[in-house]
Amino acid sequence: MSRRSRYARPEFERRFLLEAVPAGLQGAILVEDRYLAGTRLRLRRIRDDRGRGPVSMKLGHKVRPDPNDPSLNMHTSFYLNESEYQLLADLPAQNAAKLRYRLPLGGLVASVDEYVTPRRGLILLEVEMGSREALDQFAVPDYAGREVTWDEAYTGFGVAAQLGE
C-alpha cells in the first residue's frame, strides 16, 4: 500500500511508557476495542468513562506501508450503527479496554491511555502527527518513560493479544 490513498489517511505516531497518568487530566473516555481474529480490523466502542452517555461505534483498519517503520500507519475507519456493531462483535476477537485522556502538549493534543484490560496499570502516551517532520521534531516531555513505538507488544493489537481473549 502506498502512502497515498483515496480512503486511508496517514498517521505518524510515537508511543512512550508512563509511570502514572499526568496530573490534572480530566474527562476520560472509555475505549473498548475488539481486534478481529486473523485480520487487521479493529471494532471500537467509545463512551464516557462511566460507561454512560452517547456511544460511538466504528470499524477501523490499519496498514503499515513499510513494515520496518511502525511510526507510519495508513488508517481507515467508518462509523457503525448498533446492529452492524453487534453483528461484527460476535466474531472471534481479542479484547482491550482503556481510559483515554486528552493531553495538550504545546501545539498538539496527545492521548494518554490507561489500560483497564488486559494489562491493568499499563499507561501509554501516544502522539500523532500529520507529517514525519513534525513527528521527528516532537519534544518528548520529561515525565515520559521509554519509547515503545518499535515494540509490537505496545500496539493495541499487541496489548490485546497478551491474554489471548
Side-chain angles (χ1 to χ4, degrees):
M1 172 176 263
S2 75
R3 290 181 186 209
R4 296 191 61 187
S5 172
R6 184 174 177 179
Y7 302 105
R9 69 176 178 84
E11 290 182 342
F12 295 91
E13 59 189 21
R14 291 174 70 184
R15 287 182 301 283
F16 301 87
L17 291 174
L18 295 179
E19 289 190 20
V21 174
L25 297 184
Q26 298 176 357
I29 57 172
L30 176 62
V31 178
E32 300 168 301
D33 289 329
R34 292 184 51 78
Y35 295 92
L36 301 181
T39 75
R40 296 175 290 187
L41 299 173
R42 177 189 68 206
L43 189 60
R44 175 168 277 183
R45 180 189 308 256
I46 304 168
R47 56 185 132 187
D48 75 19
D49 63 345
R50 292 176 203 84
R52 298 186 301 229
V55 176
S56 175
M57 296 164 285
K58 56 187 172 176
L59 181 65
H61 179 253
K62 284 189 176 185
V63 176
R64 285 192 185 143
D66 179 354
N68 297 313
D69 182 7
S71 65
L72 173 61
N73 289 292
M74 297 300 290
H75 183 235
T76 307
S77 66
F78 58 94
Y79 289 89
L80 304 172
N81 64 32
E82 183 67 33
S83 62
E84 292 165 335
Y85 179 90
Q86 287 305 319
L87 180 71
L88 295 169
D90 288 339
L91 296 173
Q94 296 168 320
N95 301 308
K98 60 192 173 189
L99 294 173
R100 172 165 282 175
Y101 303 87
R102 306 297 282 166
L103 174 65
L105 286 176
L108 67 106
V109 177
S111 298
V112 173
D113 292 336
E114 180 180 17
Y115 278 84
V116 177
T117 62
R119 288 195 53 196
R120 181 174 288 281
L122 172 64
I123 303 170
L124 295 173
L125 166 66
E126 183 175 301
V127 290
E128 184 180 305
M129 308 277 189
S131 71
R132 165 81 54 214
E133 295 75 25
L135 191 68
D136 291 341
Q137 294 174 9
F138 171 66
V140 179
D142 293 342
Y143 54 82
R146 178 170 60 99
E147 182 167 3
V148 292
T149 304
W150 283 264
D151 189 336
E152 289 296 318
Y154 294 98
T155 64
F157 279 95
V159 171
Q162 291 179 20
L163 282 183
E165 291 182 15

